[in-house]
Amino acid sequence: MGHLFNRNIIVGVSGGIAAYKSAELVRELRKLGARVKVVMTRGATEFITPLTLQALSGEPVHIDLLNEAAEAGMGHIELARWADALLIAPATADLLARLAAGRADDLLCTIALATPAPIMVAPAMNQHMWSNPSTAANIATLMKRAVTVIGPAAGEQACGDVGPGRLVEPEHIVAQLAESFSAQSLAGRRVVITAGPTQEALDPVRYLSNHSSGKMGFALARAAAEAGALVTLITGPVVLSTPMNVERIDVVSADDMLEAAQLHGAGCDIFVGAAAVADYRPATVSGQKIKKSEDRIVFDLMKNPDVIATMAVMEQRPTLVIGFAAETEKMLEHARGKLLKKSLDFVIANDVSRSDIGFNSDLNCVSVIDHTSCTELPLANKSVLAKRLFDMLASRLS
Ligand code: PMT
């Protein structure tokens, strides 16, 4: 629980009967050394007074979106930047719906939109409201966006019903929050990741490439950095911003990627090849723009170096070399083939024939294969999957 010391936590409180438990939650967080600011919806103030939460948090309670007292009138942005985590407990069905829809119609939802910090919600509502398909769809949407959902617990409810919908007890909510800060499983480890496509020039204006957006590799880099690793991200041309605490090396072609990988990846703890490296490049690159004249044009292609296979046999081999396998058929069989052929420790297989996962999607679902086992990681946001992957890899390293 020491992981909460000096952390900036925004506790969001929405308007349900369980709002009274937020007092206990704030007290527990403060006891463990967290700095707590409370943001309430108008509805929440019907169930518990702001004064109570102000006294327990030792900070003014925030309710209104437009706050003239805050610097430059941008109180929601200041709060969003201040937070190390946004914890909403209780989260009512209405609040979950507004979060899922991306509404910015009160201070709490606006902070949720504006904050780069991780978001956790602890739902509390009547059991029928919880099992209603609308709520289920909203929860699924939030989970896809990497929001952590804590509970709800089952049992006797304030309305007399018995079933799922009770707020998880504050001490368990606090324990889960603390755990999310404790994930420093890669502290001091050196992790090198490739991401995105490569571009192989045909002439000064054209190139061969593929649909990789870099999202998977960038999510891996973010997760490794959050787990305490020193991360180098070698990326082909993408339009993503660099995750915090990550060293970024921009490259264009497979040759450039190999050179950067050898330079930065030698002797590292984990090397992950999430890039979609072009297998072939034009054998010659025209110095001038190729003119349109013939009805057909034939290009001579030559094989590119295999970045990950080279890393796996180099003298200063990384401790773990992990490839991805982008497959459209016989996924497991082909992925196992790559594991052996490229001398990898793991291969992470994804089905890129599906439009909802793989290339340029926020979601993925993968099979993690090593020489003795195969573990399925079900459909999830790429950031969530990346965290799970590094949890597995960290335990293998240690
Ligand atoms: O970037 P996104 O839009 O988020 O999409 C993610 C992804 C689908 C690109 C990613 O999840 C993925 O599958 N990456 C690997 C893509 C690929 O090139 O797969 P492959 O099966 O052709 O290659 C197998 C492995 O060899 C990969 O680790 C690849 O990086 C590596 N390779 C391939 C060719 C080459 N010349 N050098 C390599 O290092």
Side-chain angles (χ1 to χ4, degrees):
M1 295 279 202
H3 307 292
L4 285 171
F5 185 73
N6 269 349
R7 297 285 186 181
N8 294 340
I9 312 296
I10 293 184
V11 173
V13 186
S14 60
I17 186 68
Y20 76 94
K21 289 191 180 173
S22 58
E24 180 62 18
L25 187 61
V26 171
R27 216 173 62 86
E28 284 288 319
L29 289 169
R30 292 269 286 152
K31 238 172 45 188
L32 295 169
R35 290 184 283 253
V36 179
K37 293 189 182 192
V38 177
V39 176
M40 301 176 79
T41 63
R42 277 274 156 218
T45 62
E46 304 284 334
F47 292 90
I48 180 167
T49 70
L51 200 59
T52 305
L53 295 172
Q54 177 171 326
L56 291 169
S57 65
E59 295 272 351
V61 168
H62 304 264
I63 301 164
D64 294 317
L65 183 54
L66 301 173
N67 178 0
E68 285 169 16
E71 196 186 326
M74 301 287 273
H76 57 290
I77 301 295
E78 280 172 33
L79 284 165
R81 285 189 187 139
W82 175 84
D84 291 323
L86 169 61
L87 169 64
I88 304 179
T92 59
D94 175 65
L95 188 96
L96 294 171
R98 289 190 292 124
L99 288 179
R103 298 291 299 265
D105 49 1
D106 69 2
L107 180 60
L108 185 51
C109 287
T110 309
I111 291 171
L113 275 184
T115 190
I119 302 177
M120 294 186 158
V121 294
M125 66 197 73
N126 165 272
Q127 59 154 334
H128 295 297
M129 291 171 78
W130 172 250
S131 53
N132 187 290
S134 300
T135 306
N138 291 331
I139 287 286
T141 301
L142 293 173
M143 286 171 82
K144 275 189 208 159
R145 291 186 202 142
V147 171
T148 304
V149 180
I150 307 175
E156 195 173 331
Q157 303 200 286
C159 55
D161 278 11
V162 177
R166 282 169 61 93
L167 184 72
V168 168
E169 287 307 320
E171 62 185 280
H172 297 308
I173 296 177
V174 170
Q176 200 151 329
L177 179 65
E179 202 184 297
S180 73
F181 285 115
S182 74
Q184 292 285 298
S185 52
L186 292 174
R189 301 289 193 179
R190 215 154 60 75
V191 174
V192 178
I193 295 164
T194 66
T198 64
Q199 291 179 355
E200 312 296 332
L202 279 161
D203 68 13
V205 298
R206 303 184 182 91
Y207 54 80
L208 298 179
S209 192
N210 58 64
H211 295 294
S212 172
S213 62
K215 287 179 184 173
M216 189 70 241
F218 275 59
L220 287 162
R222 191 173 308 110
E226 282 171 7
L230 303 164
V231 183
T232 303
L233 175 62
I234 301 168
T235 179
V238 296
V239 286
L240 300 174
S241 46
T242 314
M244 260 177 30
N245 300 324
V246 167
E247 179 195 25
R248 172 174 177 163
I249 314 285
D250 286 290
V251 297
V252 177
S253 66
D255 270 341
D256 300 341
M257 192 169 269
L258 176 64
E259 194 183 321
Q262 287 174 314
L263 185 66
H264 297 275
C268 71
D269 293 291
I270 303 180
F271 184 91
V272 188
V277 186
D279 288 320
Y280 291 90
R281 67 172 184 272
T284 53
V285 183
S286 168
Q288 303 300 327
K289 184 179 171 195
I290 299 166
K291 290 287 170 211
K292 184 167 74 176
S293 52
E294 309 299 324
D295 283 346
R296 292 185 64 180
I297 186 164
V298 176
F299 291 109
D300 187 16
L301 300 180
M302 63 186 280
K303 217 173 191 172
N304 263 332
D306 194 306
V307 178
I308 202 140
T310 308
M311 297 305 292
V313 295
M314 76 190 295
E315 203 175 320
Q316 285 178 279
R317 185 188 195 274
T319 310
L320 292 179
V321 180
I322 294 126
F324 269 73
E327 306 298 342
T328 55
E329 56 165 352
K330 298 184 185 162
M331 185 176 82
L332 296 181
E333 185 186 326
H334 289 168
R336 285 199 179 97
K338 286 175 185 169
L339 179 77
L340 295 176
K341 190 161 168 228
K342 300 191 185 213
S343 311
L344 305 175
D345 299 294
F346 287 91
V347 69
I348 298 162
N350 45 188
D351 179 350
V352 291
S353 68
R354 283 172 57 175
S355 60
D356 59 331
I357 62 169
F359 282 112
N360 201 15
S361 153
D362 290 332
L363 303 177
N364 211 351
C365 113
V366 299
S367 303
V368 184
I369 302 167
D370 69 2
H371 293 273
T372 53
S373 65
C374 173
T375 310
E376 307 284 329
L377 297 185
L379 185 69
N381 187 287
K382 283 179 178 169
S383 338
V384 173
L385 272 184
K387 258 173 174 271
R388 291 190 186 140
L389 279 170
F390 277 117
D391 282 348
M392 292 176 71
L393 297 176
S395 63
R396 179 64 69 97
L397 257 190
S398 60

